[in-house]
Amino acid sequence: GQAGMGGMGMGGPGFRVYTSGMGGPGFAFHGGMPRQRRGGGGAQQQRARQQQEDEQIGGGLAQLLQLLPLFILFALSFFNFPGDHGSGATGGSSYFSLTHSPPFVHPLTTKVTTVRDIPFYVTDKFLRTIQRDQFQLGQVERMVEKSYRTYLVNECKNQQRYKMQLERGAREKRGVTEEERNRLLRRAQEFELSRCIEFENLFPTAGHVSF
């Protein structure tokens, strides 16, 4: 942030960066130096003071110019099309959600990806802008596909853990007959890893999911 620039060591004594409240940095050229007393020293001191202040201004502007590429890069980052940050049930994206969650209320399905017909939800703004751009829409659909793949992997692992807990619980349960234990164990073993099956069907080249 702009306020944090004051701690970056910009300028020498007497040069501070502060937030002006108008969105940009302000400069306090007397902030770190004692001020000259009035009425003493005459024109010579005034010229020396003016020269010193000019040097401070020049040095500060030079350092600002050095930092200008960083500011430009920071600003451009807001306009770059985002990479994939998809994870979890929502996809973790500002462009779509894998679940119906306002403002993501308009259902779409993937059409250009390897795995088609993956449902996802978008906003009103998405329909007005990105959906009309086939290139960006294709990028978003690939993000949806990758997010859904990540979602299936995570859910598959959760189901595997749950099934192992059921089996362990059946084996270690106390105070039950052998017949009851076998019944509980069969029930645990019959628990279907539906997300693992779906993952292997949709992404057959990805291999088996293990945790």
Side-chain angles (χ1 to χ4, degrees), residues 81 95 126 129-130 133-141:
F81 194 88
Y95 286 86
F126 186 100
T129 56
I130 294 178
D133 186 325
Q134 291 301 311
F135 175 73
Q136 289 197 3
L137 180 59
Q139 285 186 303
V140 171
E141 287 194 12

Side-chain angles (χ1 to χ4, degrees), residues 18 63 67 130 137 145 193 197 203 210:
Y18 67 96
Q63 291 186 344
L67 291 174
I130 294 178
L137 180 59
E145 182 184 51
L193 302 175
I197 295 172
F203 304 97
S210 59

Side-chain angles (χ1 to χ4, degrees), residues 50-101:
Q50 183 65 41
Q51 181 180 0
Q52 188 176 38
E53 291 182 354
D54 290 343
E55 290 175 354
Q56 291 169 357
I57 294 172
L61 291 177
Q63 291 186 344
L64 282 179
L65 289 176
Q66 291 176 356
L67 291 174
L68 186 60
L70 294 178
F71 296 150
I72 294 175
L73 182 63
F74 181 73
L76 289 177
S77 67
F78 286 101
F79 299 97
N80 289 340
F81 194 88
D84 173 59
H85 301 289
S87 61
T90 64
S93 170
S94 60
Y95 286 86
F96 69 91
S97 172
L98 295 179
T99 60
H100 184 282
S101 177

Side-chain angles (χ1 to χ4, degrees), residues 57-171:
I57 294 172
L61 291 177
Q63 291 186 344
L64 282 179
L65 289 176
Q66 291 176 356
L67 291 174
L68 186 60
L70 294 178
F71 296 150
I72 294 175
L73 182 63
F74 181 73
L76 289 177
S77 67
F78 286 101
F79 299 97
N80 289 340
F81 194 88
D84 173 59
H85 301 289
S87 61
T90 64
S93 170
S94 60
Y95 286 86
F96 69 91
S97 172
L98 295 179
T99 60
H100 184 282
S101 177
F104 302 97
V105 295
H106 300 287
L108 294 176
T109 58
T110 56
K111 293 180 174 60
V112 301
T113 52
T114 303
V115 179
R116 301 188 180 185
D117 297 324
I118 298 175
F120 63 102
Y121 298 85
V122 299
T123 63
D124 292 332
K125 183 179 179 181
F126 186 100
L127 293 180
R128 294 194 306 268
T129 56
I130 294 178
Q131 190 185 24
R132 300 179 181 180
D133 186 325
Q134 291 301 311
F135 175 73
Q136 289 197 3
L137 180 59
Q139 285 186 303
V140 171
E141 287 194 12
R142 282 185 282 275
M143 291 167 62
V144 170
E145 182 184 51
K146 192 169 184 179
S147 294
Y148 193 64
R149 173 175 169 164
T150 300
Y151 165 73
L152 288 180
V153 168
N154 291 335
E155 287 300 299
C156 174
K157 291 179 179 180
N158 289 337
Q159 288 184 339
Q160 289 174 336
R161 292 189 187 96
Y162 180 68
K163 184 173 183 177
M164 289 184 63
Q165 290 173 357
L166 290 179
E167 292 175 346
R168 185 183 302 113
R171 294 189 184 97

